[in-house]
Every structure is written in structure tokens, then in C-alpha cells.
Amino acid sequence: MKHCVQNGKYGMPRVLNFANKSNCLGYHVIDANGIMKSDGHRFLDGIIFTAVTGSLFLVLQGAFKFLLLDMEGRRLFVWDIDMWLGKISVPGGFSVCLSGFIVQFFHFPVVGTVLASLVLSLIFFLLFRCAGKVCGDGVPVGRWLFPLCLMPAAILSLEMVTASCSFQAIVDMLLICFCLKFCMDGEGRISVAVRIALSAVFLLLAVVPDAPGKYGTADMRLIYAAWGSIPLVMLVFFCAGRMTEGKRIRVLHGTLIVLLSISVWCFPVMKLAGKWRRPRQEQLARVSYYARNDQWPYILTVCRQMDMNNYMLLNYANLALSHQGVLASRFTDFRQDSPKALCIGSDMTPGGMEVQSMIYYQMGNIAAAQDLAFEANQYEKSAFLMQMLVKSNLIFGAYDVASKYIGILERTICYRSWAVEARQCMMHLRNGGETAYSPLEQEILRKRAGLPVTGDFVVRDNLILDLTRILESDPGNTAARDYAIVWLILSRDATSLKRFVDEFYGTQVLPGLSRDMEMGLLAATDGDLDYCRRHGVTEDVINIFLKRSGYGK
């Protein structure tokens, strides 16, 4: 019989009897001669757990922090007891609620990375303790095999940073490991049987997917591989614990050789892992995070370091230029060859609809922005889409609808302060307030003043038609003017360009022509020099055009 000593009341030592040394968690062990010995295994476990957590934190924070931030940006967790009870009552609903609860804290960059690292490390540590019991607490080789216990966490972290960006599978694995540890802590056949029964019922109710779409677009091959790695690890530890002392030494040497081989092949393995990663998705996650938080200069800095061969990235870059008021003069900073670079249009995925909603809102087409935000909100509940719906309904004066969305945001942790400000803004506007008292109300009143006089509209087939109608009702809308100018240049639509110049040249909308528009107007009119001179085309541009085109030879 082994004993454990623990400090009792008033610092006096008291002895606890345990049948198994593994139950003496954190205490000192007393041998048969009454000599107290320090339990160094617990200290070693702490070192291993800290090292794994720190390594995961460095990897996630250094390479995948924006994927974690984007994961939170596309999932809204609301503190609603009735909603929780409704989800938990469905098989698999408990893990969905737990996943949402954890992911909501990803809103804070460093906190989110720490939480993700801790959850993955906890999966490793629980499996490591279970495997140690299978191998035997007194078998040293079991502790040298700890890298094998990293397999489920490593596979699931790889799944998390692929196209799915799902945290659901990681939470499910955590619950599975908790149940496995719970079952292996029992003593006696009846106790273990009860624990297994309780764990099985819990897993059926809390983890089993309620529908095929529970994991979204996750790569199920990786999830199945993570599940299958658990019995594989347990089998290896079981075999190591049943070997003779000499074989254990050979296994220890073999393990060291394997670890050395892994370190040698680390670079090829990372290359293989890179094939699973989606660099384009990481870039989009980064710029979309900056856009949701109005960090437009960072978007331009990032885009200048990228290979801008993706229309959605160009949408974000041009949107950032527009917010800084330099779209018409600096759109040539990026290689653009189509109007889709301004607004992708055909992309009706949640991410595509989100960026289009931002673009239409910036232009002043509030109805189109509201429509796209509502459609995207049907696929993914995000705080940004809720905020867009609040602002658009406040602009139109639909206060009851805006109040519904504000009420949802008020039941969150990270967006409650914004929702409180929005409600105060709504009450002030509803009571007839004409003087803006907050930046949000200033934005609402400015957008409301620019609404088209012809009524609400949702037209997304031809961008220039929308922009023309916006400028007719709001000539001071510089964002719509810049988008119209760049669209006319990129589309190479001579008829639309000439019609736009005829309508707006010399007005507040178009007091003069940019150099690119001057060249475009010369090409659109087929070299009609008299018409071009009347509309502000300079002689220098005319000479350059004549020299390039060969006119006058």
C-alpha cells in the first residue's frame, strides 16, 4: 500500500492512503521506509504541457491568427438561454454551443490564439494521461512516446486552417478525450461500467452530429484521421507497457531515432502541410478583418505585398482607396483589367456578398447593401452583417426592424457597447433629432441625405446605372463619383463614357477630367478633337493620343 502526504489544517501533515500512485496528484510519495520522495512525474508533465502550449501559440499567432479572427467574424454567439436550450435539446447541440462560446473570444487577437492553443494542448494532455495509464505509470518509455499523443491535435489544427476554418471538430475531440479520461479514472468493474455508460450517453447527446452539415465544408478525411489516431496511440502505448525491460530500452532508442528522423524531415513535412493550406483564404481573412474594423491603411499595405490576381482582393483594395478618398487617382497602383475589380458581382458566397455589401454601402446604394447583408446573414450569422442591417434600417427610418437587430447585438459580449450606442442613436433619430451627437449618427444622417429621390432600388446588373442615379440625387457623393470614373475607364464602354461626360461635365460631380478619362474620351469619340477640347481634354493629351494612334499622318 502506498501513501500520500498532504498538508492538513494549520500546516500539519496528514497521510492519505491510495492503492495507486497515479491517484496522488501533486502530493509527495512515501515509500515503505517512510521516506518522502518528490513526485517528479507531475513536474515533467507540466513542462511537457507548457512546451506544447507555447509551441502551438507561436505557430497559430505567427501564421494563422487572422484565420482565427475571421472565424469569429463569421459566427455570432448570442447569450440567449432559450436558444441554448433549443440547441442542446438536439443531438450534437451541446458541442455547437460550447464551440460558439469559445470562438466568441477570438474577437481579441491574442486571447483567441491562447484559447485555441489551450484547447489543442488539453486534447494532447488528456490523451497523454489516458495512454500513460494503458502503458503503466511506472514505465518510463511511456513518457518518451508523448509525441504520438500530438497526432489528434496536429491533424485537427491542420483541418482548422484549411478551407473549412472550423473549430467544431476540435471541441468534439476535446469532449471525446474528456469522456475517455473519465472512463479510465474509475476503479472496479461496476464503477468503470457506469462511467462508460454515462460517457456513451453524453457523447450521443452532445457530440454526435445532428446533420451532415454540422462541420460545414470541413475536410472529413482529416476529422476521421484524427478520430482513428486515438486507438492507434493507445495500442502503441499498450504494447510498450507489456514489453520486457530490454525491449523497452530498444523501444526508447527507436523512439529517439524516430524523433530525429522527424526533425530531419521537418521541412518536407511542412511543405506537404502547405498543400493543405489555402494561402488565398488567409489573405482574404486578413483583409476582411481589417475592413470590418475600418483599418483601411493596413489593407493597402497588405495588398501591395500580395500578388493581386484575385478580384475579391482587388475589391477590398479599391474599397480601401475609396475610404481614403483617392480611388480615382490611385487605382492604377494595382493591376486592374475589368470592372469586376471594383465589384465582383457574380460571387454570391457569404464572403462575396459581404464585401459587395460594403462596396454598395460606400457608394450610397443603401438598398443593395441591405439586400446583400440580409442574404449573407441567412448563411452565416455575423456581427458585421447585423451592424450593416442596423445601419441600413436606421437610414431608411425602419426603427422597429433596426431595434430587433440591435437587441440581438445587445446580448453579445464583444458588440454590446456598439449596440448600446446604436440604440441611443435610434432613439435620438426617432424623437426628431436633427443634430448628430455621435459619429454613428453623423454617418446615418449623411447617408440618409444621399438617398435617391426616385425611391429605393436594388439594381446590381449594371453598376454605372446605379452610380448615375446616386450622383443625380447626391452630386457631392465623391465615393460614387470615383467608382463611376474608374468603372468607365476599366469597362472601355465608349457609349457610357460619352453619356456620362455629357451629363455631368462642368457640374459638381465632374468639374474636370482626369488624364485617364481624357485618353478614354479621345478613344470613345474616335478622335473628335473639337468635342474633346470642349470637354476639357488638354493639348498635351491630344498630342500624345495622336502620336500613339497615328492620327494626322
Side-chain angles (χ1 to χ4, degrees):
M1 180 73 69
K2 295 182 179 179
H3 306 281
C4 290
V5 64
Q6 180 187 21
N7 288 335
K9 193 173 182 180
Y10 307 114
M12 297 299 293
R14 56 190 176 97
V15 178
L16 305 176
N17 294 329
F18 291 100
N20 193 328
K21 176 183 174 182
S22 64
N23 289 327
C24 303
L25 297 177
Y27 303 141
H28 293 79
V29 178
I30 298 178
D31 64 6
N33 298 321
I35 301 174
M36 185 182 298
K37 295 182 178 180
S38 176
D39 188 1
H41 287 171
R42 306 303 176 191
F43 181 70
L44 180 59
D45 289 349
I47 293 178
I48 293 175
F49 180 78
T50 303
V52 170
T53 305
S55 301
L56 287 170
F57 173 81
L58 293 176
V59 172
L60 294 178
Q61 182 68 13
F64 307 119
K65 61 180 178 180
F66 287 102
L67 285 175
L68 298 177
L69 293 169
D70 188 66
M71 190 185 302
E72 184 275 334
R74 301 190 183 281
R75 292 163 180 83
L76 186 66
F77 185 79
V78 181
W79 289 78
D80 189 332
I81 300 297
D82 295 334
M83 183 190 69
W84 293 354
L85 293 176
K87 286 187 176 181
I88 292 175
S89 62
V90 178
F94 177 80
S95 65
V96 173
C97 289
L98 181 59
S99 174
F101 175 80
I102 297 174
V103 169
Q104 69 174 331
F105 296 105
F106 288 6
H107 177 79
F108 310 102
V110 178
V111 175
T113 311
V114 169
L115 283 176
S117 304
L118 284 175
V119 172
L120 290 170
S121 299
L122 198 54
I123 292 173
F124 152 76
F125 191 69
L126 290 172
L127 182 59
F128 179 47
R129 296 302 300 271
C130 293
K133 289 181 176 295
V134 172
C135 181
D137 292 324
V139 182
V141 72
R143 299 193 175 274
W144 289 99
L145 293 173
F146 78 90
L148 293 176
C149 299
L150 284 167
M151 288 178 60
I155 295 173
L156 290 176
S157 61
L158 184 62
E159 186 275 332
M160 182 179 65
V161 299
T162 57
S164 62
C165 283
S166 171
F167 201 71
Q168 186 63 61
I170 294 177
V171 172
D172 287 350
M173 179 61 73
L174 178 64
L175 295 177
I176 290 173
C177 291
F178 263 122
C179 290
L180 184 62
K181 182 69 166 60
F182 176 73
C183 292
M184 299 189 68
D185 279 342
E187 295 181 4
R189 181 177 301 176
I190 297 178
S191 177
V192 172
V194 172
R195 287 169 179 264
I196 292 175
L198 292 175
S199 299
V201 172
F202 175 75
L203 292 177
L204 287 173
L205 295 177
V207 177
V208 172
D210 56 340
K214 177 179 180 180
Y215 295 122
T217 59
D219 192 331
M220 295 305 298
R221 295 175 299 175
L222 293 176
I223 295 177
Y224 293 150
W227 290 349
S229 65
I230 293 180
L232 177 62
V233 170
M234 302 294 280
L235 178 62
V236 172
F237 273 77
F238 178 81
C239 294
R242 300 305 180 271
M243 294 178 181
T244 61
E245 188 64 28
K247 289 184 177 179
R248 289 173 184 170
I249 296 298
R250 288 195 294 270
V251 169
L252 177 59
H253 292 166
T255 303
L256 294 176
I257 293 174
V258 170
L259 293 176
L260 179 61
S261 301
I262 291 176
S263 63
V264 172
W265 288 94
C266 181
F267 183 74
V269 168
M270 291 300 296
K271 284 292 186 180
L272 179 62
K275 295 181 179 179
W276 292 87
R277 288 176 51 193
R278 303 294 178 89
R280 185 66 63 197
Q281 186 194 10
E282 296 174 22
Q283 296 169 352
L284 288 173
R286 188 173 184 178
V287 296
S288 63
Y289 169 76
Y290 288 145
R292 294 192 202 103
N293 293 275
D294 295 329
Q295 298 178 1
W296 307 110
Y298 290 100
I299 292 180
L300 297 177
T301 301
V302 171
C303 288
R304 290 192 182 98
Q305 300 171 356
M306 297 179 182
D307 184 14
M308 299 293 288
N309 57 358
N310 180 276
Y311 282 133
M312 192 175 293
L313 286 174
L314 286 170
N315 284 182
Y316 279 110
N318 288 321
L319 182 61
L321 291 173
S322 176
H323 274 276
Q324 294 193 319
V326 294
L327 175 59
S329 59
R330 291 180 52 189
F331 76 97
T332 54
D333 289 358
F334 305 100
R335 185 179 62 188
Q336 309 189 55
D337 58 358
S338 170
K340 287 186 176 181
L342 294 176
C343 187
I344 197 167
S346 59
D347 189 346
M348 298 307 291
T349 61
M353 288 188 286
E354 179 181 295
V355 66
Q356 290 179 73
S357 180
M358 295 183 190
I359 293 169
Y360 279 108
Y361 186 83
Q362 172 69 3
M363 291 176 182
N365 190 344
I366 308 302
Q370 182 187 55
D371 180 64
L372 285 163
F374 182 82
E375 291 293 332
N377 195 55
Q378 305 305 307
Y379 295 95
E380 56 183 25
K381 308 295 182 183
S382 74
F384 173 79
L385 296 175
M386 291 285 183
Q387 291 172 338
M388 181 65 73
L389 291 171
V390 168
K391 292 190 292 186
S392 60
N393 281 287
L394 289 178
I395 292 170
F396 289 131
Y399 299 119
D400 292 337
V401 180
S403 179
K404 180 187 71 172
Y405 292 115
I406 291 173
I408 295 174
L409 291 174
E410 284 177 334
R411 297 196 298 274
T412 63
I413 292 179
C414 303
Y415 305 97
R416 176 177 171 77
S417 59
W418 188 94
V420 171
E421 180 186 355
R423 187 170 292 281
Q424 294 174 350
C425 174
M426 181 189 69
M427 298 303 296
H428 190 243
L429 292 172
R430 173 172 271 176
N431 294 330
E434 297 180 357
T435 303
Y437 74 94
S438 68
L440 178 60
E441 190 169 353
Q442 293 175 4
E443 179 182 343
I444 298 301
L445 292 176
R446 184 174 65 252
K447 295 291 185 180
R448 180 182 290 181
L451 290 175
V453 295
T454 55
D456 303 342
F457 63 97
V458 181
V459 180
R460 297 195 298 270
D461 294 331
N462 193 331
L463 194 62
I464 194 60
L465 296 179
D466 295 346
L467 294 170
T468 300
R469 295 182 65 183
I470 293 170
L471 290 171
E472 289 173 351
S473 59
D474 185 14
N477 190 332
T478 56
R481 179 201 63 194
D482 289 351
Y483 266 101
I485 291 174
V486 177
W487 188 93
L488 291 168
I489 294 172
L490 295 180
S491 65
R492 299 178 179 84
D493 187 343
T495 303
S496 297
L497 175 60
K498 189 174 181 180
R499 186 186 301 116
F500 186 84
V501 172
D502 288 338
E503 181 174 359
F504 293 110
Y505 179 73
T507 67
Q508 182 181 356
V509 175
L510 195 65
L513 301 180
S514 65
R515 189 180 184 89
D516 292 320
M517 287 197 72
E518 291 179 18
M519 294 296 293
L521 188 60
L522 283 165
T525 59
D526 197 21
D528 188 345
L529 302 184
D530 293 334
Y531 175 88
C532 293
R533 288 191 177 98
R534 288 198 306 270
H535 290 84
V537 179
T538 61
E539 292 297 330
D540 291 340
V541 174
I542 290 176
N543 293 333
I544 294 174
F545 173 78
L546 294 176
K547 185 179 299 184
R548 290 180 179 177
S549 60
Y551 279 92
K553 289 186 178 180

